[in-house]
Amino acid sequence: MPRDEAVASGGIGKAVKRREDVRFLTGKGTYTDDMNRPDQTYCVFLRSNVAHGQITRVDTAAASAMPGVVRIFTGEDIAAAGLGGVPCGWEITSSNGEKMKEPAHPILAQGKVRHVGDPIAAVVAESREAAKDAAEAIGLEIEEMGAVVNMTTAIQGHGAPVHDEAEDNLCYDWDLGDKDATDAAFANATHVTTLEFVNNRMIPNAMEPRAAIGEYDAARDQHTLYTTSQNPHVIRLLMGAFVLNIPEHKLRVMAPDVGGGFGSKIFHYAEEAFVTWASKEIGRPIKWTAERSESFVTDAHGRDHVTKAELAMDSEGKFLALRADTLANMGAYLSTFAPCVPTWLHGTLLAGQYAHPAVHCRVRAVFTNTVPVDAYRGAGRPEATYLLERLINKAAQEIGLDQVEIRRRNFIRPDQFPYDTPVALQYDTGNYLATLARALEMADYAGFNARKAESAARGKLRGIGLSCYIEACGIAPSSLVGALGARAGLYEAASVRVNPTGSVSVFTGSHSHGQGHETTFAQVVADRLGIPYESIEIVHGDTDRVPFGMGTYGSRSLAVGGTAIVNAVDKVIAKGKKIAAHLMEASEADVVFEDGQYKVAGTDKAKAFGEVSLAAYVPHQYPIEDIEPGLEETAFYDPKNFTFPAGSYLCEVEVDPDTGKIEVLGFWAADDFGNVVNPMIVEGQVHGGLVQGLGQAFIENCVYDENGQLPSGSYMDYAMPRAGDFPSFEVDTCVTACTHNPLGVKGCGEAGAIGAPPALVNAVVDALSAYGVDHIDMPLSPQKVWATIQAAKPAMAAE
Amino acid sequence: MYNFDYVKPASVADAVAALQGEDAQAIAGGQTLIATMKQRLAQPRTLVDLTGITEMQGISVDGGVVSVGAGARHAEVAGSAEVRGAIPALADLAGKIGDPQVRNRGTIGGSIANNDPSACYPAAVLGLGATVVTNAREIAAADFFQGLYTTSLNEGEVVTAVKFPVAAAASWQKFEQPASRFSLVGVFVAKVEGEVRVAVTGASEEGVFRAAALEQALASDFSAAAVEGASVSSAGMIADLHGTPDYRANLVKVMTKRAVEAMS
């Protein structure tokens, strides 16, 4: 559909081609590493190659004397300067009322290293190669300690803990839901299904590695940081206030073109704080660009849960209660939003699309000697969806119900909205039967058995898997998240500047790093103002140009950032009415704004949008006593609720029993994102999300060994999904409009990554069900699938 | 990457002379060496670029022998009508190495001289019983590969061509490692010079090898059933994130079976 109909411009609902692609596809993007500042130096970090140890010697004398070296900094320099550690932005309170353990996260290691990749020293030199040469020449001795890697043994407190203040390596022990009601429901259940599983750890792998340039202008006492961030204002706040003690008016943070984030570029990282601080110390700009292998051991990882889940049902397969107990890996330090991901972004989603009477969820967050773990596309919601949708399929398998039927019996019905879940959310709208029906239709679910027989005739095992996800997006009402431990508000801001001749510049706190905001937001404004799409420019990514906003993550940009823009546009329209009324000598109450014109109702009097804006800036005939000149408005929008995108995904696979290789034959996605601004961009977001989710399910896997080393530390062993691994996906949308934002939108950026993994695993388990297989942990690598079949064969033969 | 000197000789003789220098290292497509140097795991003093040597280029078929210049890129071999006509399995193998970027840079000489245990070309060279031609001599495939990243090449010796006997039939079956897309196990089966040869790459800790048990089984009965009846030991096979020795041993059989079926 939209692919063929992409158009050059237009308002809401049009498949407008992405205007940013002109520069991206012709190599004209400006990424942080493309920038070079006069007199710039280069920084290379010396990083720990052991997971856990005491630093006994860092000797920089010889290295400092090497050619091209400007200066070498160690943890002592950081301590002497009194710099703060990298802060955490969310505080979780344990069930017993204790605050989470929040150990210091120094910019350069202070005495101890806690993961492979932990920075120990920073070499600043005239060239990258000179810095690398010197980093190799630093005399470094680390007394190795036993690495804490396995969460299950970590919480038993064997060996030296990652942090002295958490002897059992526990950050917090949190729970949500009514435990007593849940236990009671389990006691009365006809059938209980139990599933123990691992949600595998992911390395985010944005196409552009992280980079940062710090610059200090002594004449103006002004700091500038260019960085690869999804939210430059958040970085300015966290780094300025908590790490470097630089007030906002003296610190400018710019995130220019950013090549993908997937969550990993939300967080404040040590490297960007270092280059900002040290550029003043040496009086020259400092650039740091991660190498890919450095990204593997420094970008915050994702997922990594070990979970036991149980579902209680009555004799009809109706859900009575759900219980979940999860260990969530935090890694060596608390990354910016890490504590919130397995709790408020996970436990609250465990009702799914279903009318569970009771849910109880316990989450224990664990420190380990691994890279910090934080939000990764979906952030908590994929883990919740996987838990629920795998558990439901196992339940269906056990009680002999079809995977579709068991869901139909338990869906929240369209007439039950707004719906209060037992885990603290109120879903505003949805129609889960509609998205399910659409997915079943697209996939020809009814024809599956014939296709399965055809595969069997070729010696192949065919399976089909369903997943019905829900997510909470548009984060979030500030008062609510504040009560849940957020140390920031989660509104969004926008300024709409109408220029004198009627063109419009929009300054948004959202940040685009692949999402296509420059196109979609312009469509929204064009639609609202009735002016040409081409006369609207979207500006983002610079704290000196855009108002204080919270940035882009959690599929929030259109629902929250877009609403801020709409609200600012509405203020512009309202002021324009006053000006137009004066120009047309009419009463303001009689002026209406439609199709880009101010009109006096019931007459043929009209003033174009551009005429009014010109009058605002050339106020010769102007109600100057009543209204200020100019036409520029700002709005801050704080949402009333989350938005709740939901959908049904079907995945069909064929398994080669001889090799264990899985072929994805078809994938069908029916999503409800509320109203759609640009169907082509939405389709692209879904495709990307699906590949990311399917990647987790079938090949991606971050593996640490027992020493805390990372065998999957390069693309030779960390498997990334590729286009050729998949068929063309078929996606469609069903709409129930969000009830609490003016655009009626919900968000689409993460859905694919959330809904896809259980659909694929359910399909493979379905294919192997003849062998009595009822679960396989992700990723479903050929070796694992083959071994599962081998293990099942003797059991089958014995029957 | 450390600093190095760079020379680009125009003849094999000049290349051999240049390689006498201390820590001199030959480079062709650089698809392994450049990555290794970027990680600072190799520190050659001089790189001797072989890609300007005309006498190492070209592909020809003559009297039942396909001669491939050591400098031939994988894409050239894959796209060569002569190779495809004479030994289609060889063109097929070359066309499945890496990705288009790798195929347009990497060379057959570089691949076999490096002898990565998961590389594809060694399986064809051994499976077809090819002859490796160097500046100094001709080496039979069986003598050329000496285990992990090891060959019988002497210091400074340069592969100039590989001569493949045209097979009566051959098939290349590659099972990709999910991350690197190298061979997790690759099997090259050929009926050549009156015998059945089964060469396996990706599986053994000793690099490419001929699967004797499978060859024996197929010599008397060239069928998938014969493969099924033979046993492949997992002893000495690679264990890594992507496959246990048992899994690799299974893949050797499965891929051999598929090759036999493709040839039948």
Side-chain angles (χ1 to χ4, degrees):
Chain A
M1 45 167 220
R3 259 195 305 277
D4 304 326
E5 292 171 10
V7 292
S9 76
I12 288 175
K14 296 264 177 58
V16 178
K17 284 185 183 170
R18 297 178 7 137
R19 51 167 61 159
E20 43 271 82
D21 283 348
V22 175
R23 66 178 192 275
F24 295 153
L25 298 180
T26 58
K28 304 292 189 206
T30 306
Y31 298 88
T32 299
D33 189 56
D34 294 327
M35 298 180 162
N36 291 293
R37 305 300 301 161
D39 206 26
Q40 171 180 293
T41 63
Y42 297 83
C43 174
V44 164
F45 289 90
L46 173 67
R47 297 183 181 281
S48 178
N49 59 5
V50 304
H52 197 191
Q54 202 72 39
I55 301 170
T56 52
R57 188 173 78 98
V58 184
D59 183 353
T60 60
S64 298
M66 288 174 68
V69 173
V70 175
R71 194 159 151 193
I72 299 177
F73 296 85
T74 68
E76 283 182 18
D77 299 305
I78 300 297
L83 303 185
V86 178
C88 180
W90 203 295
E91 183 174 65
I92 293 296
T93 303
S94 288
S95 309
N96 66 4
E98 282 179 24
K99 300 292 186 193
M100 70 180 187
K101 300 280 188 351
E102 194 174 353
H105 182 182
I107 291 172
L108 295 174
Q110 302 289 319
K112 203 174 162 187
V113 288
R114 294 185 175 86
H115 68 88
V116 170
D118 215 357
I120 295 165
V123 181
V124 180
E126 300 292 345
S127 71
R128 207 166 265 151
E129 293 305 317
K132 288 187 114 176
D133 289 345
E136 282 180 4
I138 293 174
L140 174 67
E141 284 171 22
I142 299 174
E143 197 173 295
E144 211 170 331
M145 303 160 77
V148 179
V149 178
N150 180 303
M151 286 194 283
T152 309
T153 52
I155 57 173
Q156 291 159 4
H158 300 313
V162 180
H163 296 281
D164 292 342
E165 52 265 65
E167 274 180 25
D168 53 2
N169 296 303
L170 210 54
C171 176
Y172 56 75
D173 182 348
W174 171 94
D175 80 324
L176 179 69
D178 187 334
K179 184 171 189 304
D180 293 341
T182 304
D183 290 346
F186 269 89
N188 292 321
T190 310
H191 186 88
V192 172
T193 293
T194 303
L195 182 66
E196 295 188 45
F197 64 90
V198 173
N199 198 298
N200 49 326
R201 183 173 177 123
M202 299 284 97
I203 299 176
N205 282 302
M207 197 181 289
E208 179 206 19
R210 286 190 299 115
I213 305 171
E215 183 170 14
Y216 178 68
D217 179 346
R220 296 189 304 131
D221 185 27
Q222 181 74 31
H223 294 266
T224 303
L225 168 66
Y226 304 85
T227 188
T228 47
S229 175
Q230 301 177 211
N231 29 244
H233 269 295
V234 173
I235 302 304
R236 190 183 71 169
L237 178 67
L238 290 175
M239 184 178 81
F242 297 100
V243 187
L244 302 181
N245 194 23
I246 303 169
E248 285 98 327
H249 68 294
K250 289 294 179 189
L251 174 59
R252 178 180 188 181
V253 176
M254 274 184 274
D257 284 331
V258 174
F262 313 114
S264 70
K265 292 173 182 167
I266 299 171
F267 323 121
H268 176 42
Y269 287 95
E271 295 89 355
E272 58 199 0
F274 174 78
V275 297
T276 305
W277 170 74
S279 65
K280 182 178 180 183
E281 294 295 305
I282 67 163
R284 293 173 65 184
I286 303 176
K287 177 192 268 191
W288 167 76
T289 305
E291 298 192 337
R292 182 60 66 181
S293 44
E294 200 174 10
S295 301
F296 272 86
V297 294
T298 64
D299 292 1
H301 292 175
R303 317 283 190 257
D304 203 349
H305 285 195
V306 174
T307 299
K308 180 181 181 185
E310 298 162 281
L311 181 63
M313 290 174 288
D314 70 11
S315 59
E316 302 299 311
K318 289 276 277 185
F319 303 160
L320 302 175
L322 178 84
R323 191 152 58 196
D325 190 347
T326 289
L327 295 177
N329 206 332
M330 294 287 105
Y333 305 101
L334 291 181
S335 177
T336 309
F337 286 123
C340 143
V341 174
T343 50
W344 298 112
L345 292 177
H346 172 249
T348 52
L349 273 301
L350 286 174
Q353 301 187 357
Y354 312 100
H356 290 278
V359 176
H360 183 256
C361 171
R362 178 190 189 193
V363 177
R364 283 168 289 173
V366 184
F367 292 114
T368 58
N369 291 117
T370 65
V371 172
V373 180
D374 204 329
Y376 168 72
R377 201 171 191 171
R381 292 153 291 171
E383 295 90 319
T385 300
Y386 185 77
L387 185 163
L388 196 51
E389 294 302 299
R390 274 296 302 130
L391 184 63
I392 289 172
N393 263 50
K394 184 159 186 271
Q397 198 174 351
E398 286 176 1
I399 65 174
L401 262 184
D402 181 78
Q403 59 185 339
V404 174
E405 181 55 26
I406 193 171
R407 287 174 171 81
R408 278 201 184 118
R409 288 187 190 180
N410 288 285
F411 272 158
I412 299 162
R413 295 184 317 275
D415 61 4
Q416 288 178 286
F417 293 97
Y419 183 84
D420 290 306
T421 75
V423 273
L425 295 178
Q426 186 186 73
Y427 301 163
D428 60 338
T429 52
N431 186 341
Y432 310 138
L433 286 164
T435 41
L436 175 63
R438 184 72 190 107
L440 294 172
E441 178 190 28
M442 286 197 291
D444 183 21
Y445 189 76
F448 172 74
N449 283 337
R451 300 194 294 274
K452 186 180 174 78
E454 187 273 326
S455 293
R458 288 183 286 109
K460 299 284 167 59
L461 307 164
R462 203 173 183 113
I464 190 163
L466 173 63
S467 152
C468 300
Y469 76 91
I470 188 164
E471 50 170 333
C473 295
I475 19 183
S478 293
S479 61
L480 176 61
V481 296
L484 304 183
R487 289 165 168 164
L490 284 170
Y491 47 83
E492 194 48 85
S495 288
V496 172
R497 177 183 301 162
V498 182
N499 301 305
T501 60
S503 69
V504 174
S505 303
V506 177
F507 302 85
T508 171
S510 298
H511 184 274
S512 187
H513 33 279
Q515 291 85 348
H517 294 168
E518 291 168 37
T519 302
T520 347
F521 289 176
Q523 288 180 257
V524 169
V525 175
D527 202 83
R528 203 85 177 173
L529 287 178
I531 63 172
Y533 162 85
E534 291 76 13
S535 61
I536 300 152
E537 186 74 9
I538 306 297
V539 178
H540 64 93
D542 180 349
T543 58
D544 269 12
R545 297 187 73 193
V546 307
F548 188 92
M550 299 307 294
T552 289
Y553 37 83
S555 307
R556 70 195 300 269
S557 293
L558 187 59
V560 190
T563 300
I565 292 171
V566 165
N567 290 353
V569 165
D570 287 351
K571 288 185 184 179
V572 163
I573 293 170
K575 182 172 178 182
K577 274 187 187 174
K578 293 190 200 316
I579 301 167
H582 179 86
L583 294 176
M584 296 186 286
E585 296 176 337
S587 156
E588 187 190 335
D590 294 335
V591 176
V592 294
F593 182 72
E594 55 187 35
D595 303 328
Q597 292 202 311
Y598 293 94
K599 298 172 183 171
V600 180
T603 75
D604 58 358
K605 283 186 181 175
K607 286 283 178 191
F609 181 74
E611 291 179 86
V612 172
S613 63
L614 189 63
Y617 288 96
V618 188
H620 295 164
Q621 307 292 320
Y622 195 81
I624 203 81
E625 299 297 327
D626 303 325
I627 324 170
E628 295 170 7
L631 198 50
E632 175 168 344
E633 298 289 347
T634 295
F636 284 72
Y637 170 70
D638 202 289
K640 295 181 186 68
N641 192 359
F642 298 91
T643 62
F644 297 99
S648 281
Y649 290 175
L650 278 159
C651 178
E652 193 161 317
V653 300
E654 202 171 69
V655 178
D656 179 344
D658 295 334
T659 63
K661 190 176 165 71
I662 296 162
E663 188 182 354
V664 179
L665 300 174
F667 201 101
W668 302 272
D671 292 291
D672 180 356
F673 298 134
N675 294 326
V676 170
V677 171
N678 185 321
M680 180 192 67
I681 288 179
V682 167
E683 186 179 344
Q685 284 276 17
V686 174
H687 279 231
L690 291 177
V691 168
Q692 219 153 354
L694 292 171
Q696 171 174 23
F698 95 124
I699 48 175
E700 281 191 60
N701 203 25
C702 171
V703 179
Y704 276 100
D705 69 14
E706 67 277 13
N707 299 315
Q709 295 291 329
L710 185 66
S712 61
S714 81
Y715 290 136
M716 292 300 284
D717 287 295
Y718 187 87
M720 294 291 284
R722 303 181 188 190
D725 295 334
F726 306 104
S728 193
F729 305 136
E730 287 181 48
V731 310
D732 199 3
T733 53
C734 305
V735 177
T736 64
C738 174
T739 59
H740 54 82
N741 64 51
L743 294 167
V745 297
K746 300 183 180 179
C748 68
E750 297 161 296
I754 292 169
L760 179 87
V761 178
N762 285 344
V764 173
V765 170
D766 181 50
L768 301 184
S769 58
Y771 290 98
V773 172
D774 61 8
H775 181 66
I776 313 181
D777 269 337
M778 299 186 288
L780 307 184
S781 63
Q783 140 176 265
K784 195 187 287 179
V785 172
W786 178 79
T788 303
I789 294 171
Q790 297 310 303
K793 269 180 181 171
M796 257 185 95
E799 277 172 15
Chain B
M1 196 179 280
Y2 299 105
N3 273 337
F4 56 87
D5 292 326
Y6 172 84
V7 293
K8 190 172 184 181
S11 71
V12 171
D14 286 351
V16 169
L19 285 167
Q20 301 307 310
E22 194 183 342
D23 291 331
Q25 166 71 49
I27 184 168
Q31 293 306 286
T32 300
L33 182 58
I34 295 286
T36 311
M37 289 172 65
K38 283 169 77 175
Q39 293 175 69
R40 297 189 155 214
L41 297 173
Q43 192 173 6
R45 176 171 294 188
T46 306
L47 277 190
V48 180
D49 185 345
L50 305 179
T51 60
I53 303 173
T54 319
E55 57 197 297
M56 287 171 63
Q57 302 296 328
I59 295 168
S60 63
V61 180
D62 186 21
V65 173
V66 177
S67 188
V68 180
R73 316 276 184 188
H74 309 327
E76 273 177 70
V77 176
S80 160
E82 284 160 308
V83 175
R84 199 157 283 281
I87 316 175
L90 181 60
D92 181 44
L93 175 145
K96 288 176 178 164
I97 298 173
D99 51 36
Q101 288 86 344
V102 169
R103 291 195 288 275
N104 282 309
R105 292 296 306 165
T107 67
I108 185 169
S111 171
I112 65 170
N114 187 48
N115 195 18
D116 186 302
S118 300
C120 298
Y121 262 131
V125 173
L126 190 63
L128 288 163
T131 301
V132 178
V133 183
T134 76
N135 59 300
R137 54 187 170 143
E138 297 201 343
I139 309 169
D143 301 325
F144 182 81
F145 299 108
Q146 299 283 321
L148 225 56
Y149 297 106
T150 311
T151 67
S152 57
L153 288 172
N154 294 318
E155 200 67 30
E157 189 174 8
V158 174
V159 177
T160 57
V162 183
K163 294 199 286 192
F164 295 94
V166 172
S171 175
W172 165 242
Q173 299 291 329
K174 175 181 179 180
F175 193 88
E176 286 185 343
Q177 194 255 51
S180 68
R181 319 268 166 151
F182 272 66
S183 292
L184 183 61
V185 166
V187 176
F188 198 98
V189 178
K191 285 182 174 173
V192 65
E193 293 171 339
E195 60 178 352
V196 175
R197 300 169 69 108
V198 178
V200 179
T201 188
S204 168
E205 289 174 340
E206 298 299 318
V208 66
F209 70 99
R210 286 173 63 182
L214 292 171
E215 290 185 354
Q216 278 162 23
L218 289 169
S220 54
D221 174 14
F222 195 81
S223 71
V227 175
E228 195 61 56
S231 90
V232 173
S233 166
S234 62
M237 290 212 176
I238 296 169
D240 62 15
L241 292 181
H242 310 284
T244 58
D246 281 349
Y247 182 56
R248 281 188 160 86
N250 169 67
L251 285 180
V252 170
K253 278 180 74 167
V254 172
M255 293 296 115
T256 303
K257 213 160 70 177
R258 289 182 184 176
V260 168
E261 283 164 353
M263 290 162 69
S264 302

